[in-house]
Amino acid sequence: MNSRLESSKDESDLAYFYDLMNYGEFITKIITLFMVSTINDDKDRTRYRFEYNLIRANSIGDFSKTIDEILTGPSAQILTSTIIDFEYKELTKKASEGDWQFESQKLLLECIEIFGHEVNKINSKSALRNWFQNFSYLRNKTKGHGAPKVETCSRACVKLENSINLIINNFTLFQRNWCYLYRNLSGKYRVSTISNKSLVFDYLKKEDIHNLENGVYVFLNKPRQLKLIYSNSELTDFWITNGNLKKDKFEALSYISDERIYCNANMYFDPISQLPMSHTEGTNELEVIGDCFTNLPKATDFYVNRQNLEDELEKVLLSDDRFPIITLLGKGGIGKTSLAINLIEKIATNNNRFEFILWFSARDIDLLIDGPKQVQTKVLNINDIANDYCELMYPHEKINDKLDRFSKDLTKNSNGKTLYVFDNFETLTNPIEVFEWINTYIRNPNKILITSRLSRNFKADYPIEVQGMSEEECRELISITSNKLNISDILSNSFIEELINESSGHPYIIKILLGEVAKNRKIGSIKRIVTEQERILDALFKRTFNNLSPSAKRVFLTLCSWNSMIPKIAIEAVLWRPENEKIEVQRAIEELKQSSFIDVINDDTSDEIISLPLAAAIYGKGELEVYPEKIKIYADRKLLMEFGTTSQSNLSSGLMHHIEKKFKSISSRIKTIEEFENELGTLEYIASKFPKTYKYIIEIFEEYKEYEKVKYYIREYLKNNLLESEKNDLWKKLASVCNYSDDWEGESHALIELVQLPYVSFEIISETANKINHHIFNNIDAKLDFYKNEILNKIIEVMIKRITNEGNATDYSRLGWILLNNNERDRAEKIVEKGLEIDDENDYCLKLLSKINS
């Protein structure tokens, strides 16, 4: 951004002033999104509420108001303690003359006075948070809704620059460790340093147990993601939310390059008002069942006994001296909660094993027969649980340290033997931390029962896996549900048989499918019905999918790309490739199996076959559509189809098996880039037969930051007969790598090739023109590129063909600058006039016209 300021300073004082205003917006948004990221998770979803509003923001004033609300509203109580003595104090402290916060505000107010606008004099003491409100006022009076004179802007520039720099040079936020995190398939992270010191993130390069989204992070007590700032591993640019929500997309703007991207807003459509409580939340007061005090939620109106599971769970719960922590594990909607409620009610009624049974619910979605409904989560963390516990057990006692009281009662409860039940454990903010806490303090005869979809990072004393219902249980469930829905006469024996098989005994899927029959009053294709239930599939699978390791996601989506059972050895052979680190396919398959995404037939034999339940397969196809490496997966599918599905003899033929074994061997041996380069002769030969091998060669060189080799192998890849979409991605990647390695000649060549592809979007063409213009502007005194005219002629030719039907006023301004840079002043003037016919107030066109006429 400073580089952009230096360029505009050389251009004119007016351009410099406007870029300083952009700079002020830039830091206002960064500070806003940082403050939002410091809000801890809470039941009211406070952080989500701010993010929800910011993607709908209409002006920079909405950001300054957000800073104010965070600092002065209820959200100030749930900020991470790490910033209280630093950023929070710096923003709220009543600063006086001589303090940098005071001087920054004073300079800003002097700027406003220069433009002749009324402004309240700064008090003898004033908090820095007022700066953002005043900046918003200045922005609206000048850049937003004013027409400031050049002389006035010139006088204001120095004061505005000094005001902004006081914040940048002193505000703790800008001295913290920042980076961009990208998770490799190994589960470890590529850490791209933004600040000068980011050693605090280095543990993520070595450990694969963390589950952080790709994105921009600042390190506080832990990595905190700034969700509405976007970048990439090469740090080629930074885009910040700019509001402008339309349908399911919102705009993100780069203040550095002026480039805009449009981001998916689907995760910000849930209402921000308070949600209803879950019907399985548990009561707020203890009630008596048998000889036991409990807040157990009411059992469902009908329940199908699952005798084997109930017998096993009852046996371990009633044990006095073994298995203090028991888990019920299984996919969403499989019946974990209903099993727990009904069995525990039976134990409370008929057995005196426990004096107290306490239920803690972290549920955020109720799976109802008419679809999933979002609900308010009652407990999210250790403190919520301890507060709930003390309110139930000691409602009239004032307890200073509730966490300490609960911890002691876990070990030895003077009130009596207690069963603690944690439902939907995976939705807690940090389930691993909570598990370690309860595991530290729990002692027999007290017990803990956990229901969860996930168990990858914690291990109970006695895990019980809840799978699909048996055929007998399924038929009982179908009978009860169909009678309740009055559809018994519609169901045929063949439909019931198909329903049991295709649902894999999943009780919630069975209920939903029967509900659809009741709606339509006829039976239909089960696969079609399941496909249409997108919200239900998301509720059942999305959370578990998001918590899978990258390698497990990759294996699962590869399996979903083909409607067939697949030999385990085939998926291993196809996916063992020399990437940044090889995919641990065995571990990924085991993870998918534990998460109930796949079934393994002939388990523990050399002839294992992987099968996907219908609902999981359909959900996976939806995720595959938006998966960044979709093209790679479809290419892998072709290789899988060569192996067949069930016959081990088919695996012995076909070159690809040997190719993948070779890659497995290489990836297990190499430790340095030099060792890898020793293998290149063989790998280049394989790549000449199977071009997608180049992708993995490129990734390894990229990991070792060998950017000249990366560029070389991208170009080798592009020599092959590829799909247009693949060429599009590769030329974009080549341009990005060239940009990162300061290779303008390579970048310009890649961009020109990209815009000449038949189906490239006009937005990409326009952004390419913008980048070329920026390069020429920023290198005006440098020696002209030898092929400058050829580059400009190419982009002119492409834009002229499409701009009439697809271009807006800004696009015309970019074409005009290209023509002007190509010494075609008359054509540039005509083009900019056409742009002004579309939008006579377009700043870019007006600025260009002024330049042409000067």
Side-chain angles (χ1 to χ4, degrees), residues 643-767:
F643 285 92
T645 57
T646 58
S647 174
Q648 180 69 23
S649 62
N650 291 337
L651 303 179
S652 60
S653 61
L655 180 61
M656 282 311 302
H657 174 71
H658 301 288
I659 292 173
E660 298 299 334
K661 287 294 182 182
K662 176 65 175 175
F663 275 114
K664 175 187 173 184
S665 173
I666 292 172
S667 64
S668 65
R669 274 191 287 108
I670 65 167
K671 298 291 186 296
T672 66
I673 193 64
E674 290 76 20
E675 290 181 47
F676 176 70
E677 287 176 334
N678 292 335
E679 305 290 338
L680 278 177
T682 303
L683 299 184
E684 286 174 338
Y685 174 78
I686 296 172
S688 69
K689 304 295 182 183
F690 298 90
K692 67 176 184 172
T693 306
Y694 281 118
K695 288 185 179 180
Y696 305 102
I697 296 175
I698 290 165
E699 287 184 11
I700 291 179
F701 278 122
E702 195 169 23
E703 181 183 3
Y704 285 94
K705 302 187 186 324
E706 295 282 340
Y707 293 113
E708 292 305 313
K709 295 284 179 65
V710 171
K711 290 185 279 187
Y712 172 81
Y713 283 105
I714 292 175
R715 292 181 178 115
E716 288 298 301
Y717 194 4
L718 282 161
K719 292 177 183 178
N720 293 276
N721 184 23
L722 305 174
L723 296 172
E724 292 299 328
S725 58
E726 289 176 303
K727 290 181 179 179
N728 186 303
D729 291 343
L730 285 168
W731 284 120
K732 279 199 281 189
K733 183 174 183 64
L734 179 57
S736 177
V737 174
C738 289
N739 177 287
Y740 189 64
S741 56
D742 296 322
D743 175 10
W744 168 248
E745 184 174 342
E747 183 183 3
S748 61
H749 170 250
L751 291 172
I752 291 302
E753 292 296 333
L754 176 64
V755 302
Q756 293 180 92
L757 293 176
Y759 301 108
V760 69
S761 70
F762 188 75
E763 288 78 9
I764 289 177
I765 296 172
S766 181
E767 289 298 340

Side-chain angles (χ1 to χ4, degrees), residues 19 34 106 162 193 215 288 303 320 344 360 385 399 411 445-446 533 535 540 548 571 598 705 717 756 851-852:
D19 272 352
F34 169 78
K106 182 180 175 183
N162 290 338
T193 301
V288 177
Y303 169 73
D320 268 330
I344 291 171
F360 304 95
I385 295 167
I399 301 173
T411 304
N446 298 330
Q533 307 300 315
R535 284 177 58 245
L540 293 179
L548 292 175
I571 197 74
I598 63 172
K705 302 187 186 324
Y717 194 4
Q756 293 180 92
K851 175 78 174 177
I852 292 171

Side-chain angles (χ1 to χ4, degrees), residues 347-601:
I347 290 174
T349 304
N350 302 324
N351 196 291
N352 62 358
R353 167 67 176 84
F354 300 106
E355 279 85 17
F356 291 88
I357 297 176
L358 304 178
W359 184 277
F360 304 95
S361 174
R363 182 177 294 274
D364 61 350
I365 292 176
D366 275 349
L367 300 177
L368 307 177
I369 195 165
D370 54 345
K373 304 293 181 183
Q374 194 166 10
V375 295
Q376 183 176 352
T377 304
K378 191 169 187 185
V379 297
L380 275 173
N381 50 49
I382 295 173
N383 288 325
D384 287 346
I385 295 167
N387 289 337
D388 250 27
Y389 173 77
C390 291
E391 287 174 12
L392 286 168
M393 296 293 291
Y394 310 102
H396 306 299
E397 183 178 338
K398 184 178 179 181
I399 301 173
N400 293 326
D401 193 338
K402 296 178 180 179
L403 183 59
D404 181 66
R405 175 67 64 89
F406 188 24
S407 300
K408 289 177 179 176
D409 283 359
L410 281 171
T411 304
K412 185 175 181 180
N413 197 328
S414 59
N415 299 294
K417 293 178 286 187
T418 307
L419 171 63
Y420 306 92
V421 186
F422 298 93
D423 188 38
N424 271 60
F425 197 75
E426 76 279 357
T427 58
L428 292 169
T429 301
N430 192 334
I432 300 172
E433 180 184 49
V434 177
F435 183 85
E436 290 300 327
W437 168 59
I438 61 178
N439 188 43
T440 299
Y441 289 102
I442 190 66
R443 298 290 186 276
N444 284 314
N446 298 330
K447 281 190 181 287
I448 284 172
L449 174 64
I450 290 171
T451 75
S452 179
R453 300 185 188 189
L454 309 172
S455 66
R456 188 157 60 97
N457 294 321
F458 57 85
K459 187 175 182 180
D461 301 297
Y462 196 101
I464 298 175
E465 188 172 356
V466 182
Q467 296 183 329
M469 287 180 157
S470 67
E471 181 175 348
E472 182 181 349
E473 291 165 349
C474 286
R475 290 187 180 277
E476 184 180 350
L477 176 63
I478 292 169
S479 175
I480 294 172
T481 308
S482 59
N483 285 331
K484 188 176 180 180
L485 298 174
N486 296 318
I487 57 171
S488 299
D489 56 328
I490 300 176
L491 304 183
S492 65
N493 288 331
S494 60
F495 179 83
I496 292 173
E497 197 76 36
E498 185 184 4
L499 177 57
I500 294 170
N501 291 332
E502 294 290 8
S503 68
S504 300
H506 194 297
Y508 184 61
I509 292 176
I510 289 173
K511 290 179 186 178
I512 288 295
L513 294 176
L514 292 174
E516 288 300 307
V517 172
K519 285 181 189 175
N520 301 318
R521 303 304 301 173
K522 65 178 182 180
I523 60 176
S525 164
I526 288 178
K527 184 174 182 179
R528 179 187 59 77
I529 296 172
V530 174
T531 303
E532 292 171 352
Q533 307 300 315
E534 182 179 351
R535 284 177 58 245
I536 292 166
L537 293 174
D538 278 353
L540 293 179
F541 297 107
K542 194 171 191 68
R543 182 182 298 120
T544 312
F545 178 81
N546 287 341
N547 279 282
L548 292 175
S549 65
S551 56
K553 287 181 182 176
R554 175 65 192 281
V555 171
F556 175 63
L557 295 180
T558 303
L559 293 167
C560 292
S561 70
W562 187 19
N563 295 323
S564 174
M565 293 189 296
I566 300 173
K568 181 181 174 184
I569 194 171
I571 197 74
E572 289 173 350
V574 169
L575 291 178
W576 260 321
R577 304 177 180 280
E579 298 187 321
N580 297 337
E581 291 179 320
K582 70 173 184 176
I583 298 175
E584 294 189 43
V585 182
Q586 287 274 9
R587 182 174 166 186
I589 290 172
E590 186 60 31
E591 184 181 343
L592 291 170
K593 183 181 171 185
Q594 289 179 359
S595 302
S596 302
F597 273 108
I598 63 172
D599 296 320
V600 179
I601 303 168

Side-chain angles (χ1 to χ4, degrees), residues 282-288 293-296 378 391-392 395-396:
T283 60
N284 292 324
E285 295 180 346
L286 295 177
E287 301 172 349
V288 177
F293 290 97
T294 182
N295 68 326
L296 193 69
K378 191 169 187 185
E391 287 174 12
L392 286 168
H396 306 299

Side-chain angles (χ1 to χ4, degrees), residues 155-167:
R155 290 167 54 209
C157 280
V158 174
K159 291 182 182 293
L160 182 56
E161 180 182 21
N162 290 338
S163 176
I164 291 171
N165 282 336
L166 277 170
I167 296 174

